[in-house]
Amino acid sequence: MTWQILLIESVYFLAAALFILGLKKMSSPVTARGGIIWAGVGMTLATLITFLTPNLGNVGLIIIAIMIGALPAWWLALRVAMTDMPQMIALYNGMGGGAAASIAAVELIKGSSHSLTVQTLAVLGALIGSISFSGSIIAFAKLQGLMKRSVIFSNQQILNLILFLVTLGLGAYVIYLGSSASITLIMVFFGVALVFGILMTLPIGGADMPVVISLYNALTGLAVAFEGFVLGNAAMIIAGTVVGSAGTLLTQLMARAMNRPVSNVLFSGFGAKGGQEATGDSVEGNLKPIDATDAAIMMAYAEQVVIIPGYGMAVAQAQHKVWELTKTLIDRGVRVKFAIHPVAGRMPGHMNVLLAEAGVPYDIISDLEEINEEFEQTDVTIVIGANDVVNPAARKNPESPIYGMPILNADKSKNIVVIKRGRGTGFSGIENDLFYADNTRMLYGDGQKMAAELLQAVEEL
Amino acid sequence: MMTITGFIALYIFMLAAFTGYEIISRVPVILHTPLMSGSNFVHGIVLVGAMVALGHAETDLEKTIGFIGVVLATGNAVGGYFVTERMLEMFKSNKGGAK
């Protein structure tokens, strides 16, 4: 080993250790901030030391490519709104998958005489990386609202299955041919894999996107690990594998929080089958509107108020006004709590981030188990921009597509006020029985505007 | 580069897989999103591979694909870092944290 290689390998070793320690720190709220910095140091060191790689050509091109990649990513990441974080993760994750696929493409086109194992891993990494790349881009487009929520056509699953088998077949053929595989064949293989990633993601509905993004995140990790084997790069193998397994577990945890097995998410268009049935039959009663002044009186003279925020609140940028309202109520002696559903927002924990941004302290935020016992002693529950997570159909109606999902039992509190922009259904497209309940009042309007009106009304009392 | 042969590679793979599983297994729900973002950043290490691939590319086609690879990988690493950093910044002073 020359001193260069020894130095490079040592730094890669250090980087791998920093990644693992960083992720470990990120798994606790107290140390989380330090965690990302450790991982960042590891990444910077590993990148810099790579320039010392023996026989590294095209250094100018590498530097230009890094600048082109870094500047827009940095600019966007700092400016994007907190509510749009999930799609940014999808986008950056897709880029990682694409990069892994690119490495595989270069290696395969070069046709360097790899062993069968290495050739297989290169092809597998290429396949997974390509799917993760195009799939993540679709996920990004869906969450960004650039695209209709889900595209479902007849025989879709059969088409996808055939396409998947074709992709596998082409991959196997590339492995079989080894270094004599033609560039055209390799390109066709990549093309089909990319198309498969798109078609696989198209039918999946918006509500399931977090699970899908998490899955693609794990897949990208795996692809990176495989390409790490191909290049003989231990840092890539370790970091990629750690992300692959951590991401797989995270995907399962998220799916469990929504009570939907991962296979269910991937292979059925959500709400497509059960959705129509549930809309017609189960809803009884009327929507009863209320105005802000009356709602404010209810809240101001309550003993306990629970606020259930959903993604709608975040979209309306209402969290700051809601927090002001909360403070005013607390000053009047009302006990106020926030109830967060595990999948409130677009991803588990997303809502906590958004509330923290508004300055809401941790100790008045409760999770599902804690708060569900308290709804019966709650005078007023305010549902703002949330829908499916308070739908009692998940408890009562076995026909409903969300049946069995743990929900916040808002319907058990004495009064419910739902702040909602219009009469439409939620993200999943399912009608909500709660809105028709006798003790529910609808406060129609934009979340931020209504929160401001409530605040003003409470202050005037 | 260092050669990592069959079984050694398999051992690395297995141990790293257990490590990843252990890290995540006792994580509170509130950290799921930041952690996903953080792990998204960590696989940005693909950048070093992409650099090596471009650095050893010879034909124009190889260079083009390698170039795209480095651009994408940098986006993953840089974007992943700042998104995670911003998210975790929210967790710093929550007690009494009114503005």
Side-chain angles (χ1 to χ4, degrees):
Chain A
M1 252 191 225
T2 66
W3 66 270
Q4 274 173 319
I5 294 191
L6 194 66
L7 184 62
I8 292 173
E9 293 299 342
S10 316
V11 171
Y12 282 173
F13 182 82
L14 181 67
L18 284 172
F19 289 153
I20 292 175
L21 287 172
L23 280 175
K24 182 72 208 162
K25 277 170 156 280
M26 269 185 254
S27 61
S28 150
V30 189
T31 53
R33 278 197 87 211
I36 184 66
I37 293 170
W38 284 43
V41 170
M43 188 73 73
T44 313
L45 289 176
T47 309
L48 290 177
I49 208 72
T50 304
F51 281 107
L52 288 184
T53 308
N55 310 321
L56 193 81
N58 305 325
V59 175
L61 277 180
I62 293 178
I63 293 175
I64 296 172
I66 289 180
M67 305 270 263
I68 293 179
L71 287 176
W74 170 76
W75 192 85
L76 255 180
L78 287 187
R79 267 157 197 81
V80 74
M82 271 296 162
T83 42
D84 293 339
M85 284 300 171
Q87 52 262 49
M88 294 319 289
I89 299 176
L91 183 66
Y92 295 135
N93 174 55
M95 294 173 94
S102 308
I103 296 172
V106 173
E107 288 297 312
L108 290 172
I109 291 171
K110 265 190 180 167
S112 0
S113 48
H114 291 309
S115 70
L116 182 68
T117 321
V118 171
Q119 185 83 359
T120 310
L121 287 172
V123 168
L124 277 179
L127 176 67
I128 299 172
S130 302
I131 293 174
S132 173
F133 174 66
S134 57
S136 296
I137 301 296
I138 298 293
F140 166 77
K142 284 192 178 203
L143 288 175
Q144 188 69 27
L146 298 173
M147 215 172 155
K148 224 185 107 207
R149 294 267 178 240
S150 52
V151 181
I152 296 164
F153 48 87
S154 55
N155 295 331
Q156 192 167 20
Q157 296 197 13
I158 297 168
L159 178 78
N160 283 356
L161 181 67
I162 293 172
L163 199 64
F164 183 61
L165 293 176
V166 169
T167 321
L168 279 186
L170 282 171
Y173 195 50
V174 172
I175 296 171
Y176 171 74
L177 289 177
S179 52
S180 57
S182 72
I183 292 179
T184 323
L185 175 70
I186 294 170
M187 287 295 154
V188 170
F189 164 65
F190 275 96
V192 179
L194 288 172
V195 172
F196 176 72
I198 295 175
L199 288 181
M200 185 178 143
T201 320
L202 276 179
I204 302 171
D208 287 331
M209 271 309 143
V211 180
V212 175
I213 296 173
S214 175
L215 181 71
Y216 285 147
N217 185 39
L219 286 180
T220 302
L222 206 57
V224 170
F226 287 166
E227 297 315 321
F229 280 112
V230 175
L231 297 173
N233 185 316
M236 278 170 74
I237 301 178
I238 293 171
T241 310
V242 167
V243 173
S245 75
T248 308
L249 183 60
L250 205 52
T251 310
Q252 282 170 347
L253 291 177
M254 286 188 185
R256 203 178 301 152
M258 301 205 289
N259 195 40
R260 282 170 56 69
V262 178
S263 60
N264 210 338
V265 171
L266 290 179
F267 303 118
S268 69
F270 188 45
K273 279 172 292 180
Q276 291 99 336
E277 298 159 30
T279 35
D281 54 17
S282 63
V283 180
E284 289 160 20
N286 297 310
L287 295 167
K288 295 163 285 291
I290 190 173
D291 62 30
T293 323
D294 290 339
I297 292 170
M298 278 166 74
M299 290 163 74
Y301 294 101
E303 252 179 62
Q304 172 156 308
V305 170
V306 172
I307 300 175
I308 302 179
Y311 189 66
M313 179 197 76
V315 170
Q317 291 292 323
Q319 57 268 47
H320 298 278
K321 277 278 174 270
V322 169
W323 172 227
E324 275 182 55
L325 173 65
T326 308
K327 281 188 285 187
T328 316
L329 288 172
I330 291 173
D331 288 345
R332 290 183 65 99
V334 182
R335 214 165 42 244
V336 186
K337 290 182 177 172
F338 283 85
I340 311 273
H341 189 273
V343 295
R346 281 291 180 271
M347 287 188 200
H350 191 196
M351 188 55 63
N352 301 71
V353 174
L354 295 170
L355 287 179
E357 188 191 15
V360 179
Y362 251 35
D363 41 4
I364 66 166
I365 299 179
S366 314
D367 63 20
L368 187 123
E369 279 97 34
E370 288 167 9
I371 202 76
N372 263 351
E373 295 168 6
E374 293 196 27
F375 276 114
E376 276 161 42
Q377 296 100 51
T378 301
D379 302 292
V380 186
T381 297
I382 311 286
V383 179
I384 172 164
N387 192 337
D388 297 327
V389 298
V390 291
N391 192 343
R395 269 199 334 261
K396 294 173 185 161
N397 180 4
E399 304 279 300
S400 172
I402 60 166
Y403 182 71
M405 178 173 97
I407 58 158
L408 292 162
N409 297 328
D411 55 322
K412 294 196 172 159
S413 60
K414 292 169 195 154
N415 296 285
I416 303 123
V417 174
V418 178
I419 302 178
K420 204 166 172 304
R421 214 155 19 163
R423 286 162 173 255
T425 50
F427 205 41
S428 65
I430 304 164
E431 200 67 54
N432 193 336
D433 302 355
L434 177 72
F435 301 167
Y436 297 87
D438 290 336
N439 50 351
T440 302
R441 296 290 176 273
M442 306 296 290
L443 181 55
Y444 289 115
D446 172 74
Q448 185 174 5
K449 194 160 154 279
M450 285 305 123
E453 281 185 23
L454 284 172
L455 175 63
Q456 199 189 354
V458 172
E459 277 172 347
E460 281 168 7
L461 284 174
Chain B
M1 278 287 116
M2 186 168 69
T3 43
I4 300 166
T5 47
F7 269 95
I8 301 294
L10 212 58
Y11 280 120
I12 297 180
F13 191 75
M14 178 189 74
L15 292 173
F18 277 117
T19 308
Y21 194 90
E22 272 307 305
I23 288 173
I24 299 287
S25 55
R26 280 176 299 274
V27 170
V29 173
I30 54 158
L31 280 172
H32 280 181
T33 297
L35 206 62
M36 177 156 130
S37 182
S39 59
N40 176 39
F41 163 68
V42 166
H43 66 51
I45 189 67
V46 69
L47 175 58
V48 303
M51 287 168 71
V52 171
L54 175 56
H56 294 159
E58 281 149 20
T59 65
D60 283 347
L61 180 65
E62 288 166 21
K63 282 184 197 166
T64 311
I65 298 174
F67 189 83
I68 297 173
V70 175
V71 172
L72 291 175
T74 314
N76 182 182
V78 174
Y81 181 84
F82 286 105
V83 164
T84 313
E85 223 271 327
R86 271 185 67 192
M87 231 183 267
L88 291 176
E89 210 173 305
M90 308 293 162
F91 288 91
K92 56 184 171 191
S93 59
N94 286 298
K95 293 281 171 190
K99 279 180 203 165

